[in-house]
Amino acid sequence: MYIFNLNYGTKVFSDALHDDAISAIAFDKTRGQLYTGSWDCSVKGWASKSGSVDMTTEEPLFESTNQISCLHLSSDGNILLYGDIEGKGLYKKRC
């Protein structure tokens, strides 16, 4: 994953967050939480501050039998939905 500062056109972060390509991203501004879904069949959560991802805060959220194709976070940040390449979807409720 690469995170860029669009004001300056500079890369501010890069790292391998998954074992395969990241295919979906959702961001919760209120909590400063980044969610990533991958072809490695997992969804993970990360603390994100000042344009970087804190690698020590990895939180595995889901393991699927199929590659993750999309993520959606509810407007209040309490429900994270994901879908896989076979069209199956699940959710995780956060409080």
Side-chain angles (χ1 to χ4, degrees), residues 19-51:
D19 295 331
D20 208 331
I22 292 174
S23 52
I25 295 176
F27 184 69
D28 183 345
K29 273 190 194 178
T30 306
R31 292 185 175 111
Q33 190 80 12
L34 176 70
Y35 300 97
T36 56
S38 173
W39 288 355
D40 68 7
C41 305
S42 69
V43 175
K44 297 179 181 180
W46 314 84
S48 176
K49 296 178 186 170
S50 303

Side-chain angles (χ1 to χ4, degrees), residues 35-78:
Y35 300 97
T36 56
S38 173
W39 288 355
D40 68 7
C41 305
S42 69
V43 175
K44 297 179 181 180
W46 314 84
S48 176
K49 296 178 186 170
S50 303
S52 64
V53 176
D54 184 350
M55 298 298 291
T56 64
T57 62
E58 177 183 341
E59 179 186 354
L61 299 174
F62 304 109
E63 288 293 328
S64 176
T65 56
N66 298 305
Q67 296 170 338
I68 305 302
S69 60
C70 60
L71 289 175
H72 177 76
L73 187 65
S74 65
S75 59
D76 63 6
N78 288 329

Side-chain angles (χ1 to χ4, degrees), residues 82-95:
Y82 80 87
D84 66 26
I85 60 170
E86 290 191 354
K88 297 176 187 170
L90 293 172
Y91 72 95
K92 178 169 181 129
K93 185 170 182 172
R94 302 191 58 207
C95 297

Side-chain angles (χ1 to χ4, degrees), residues 6-20:
L6 298 179
N7 292 327
Y8 299 102
T10 56
K11 181 172 58 173
V12 294
F13 175 83
S14 68
D15 212 323
L17 303 180
H18 286 269
D19 295 331
D20 208 331

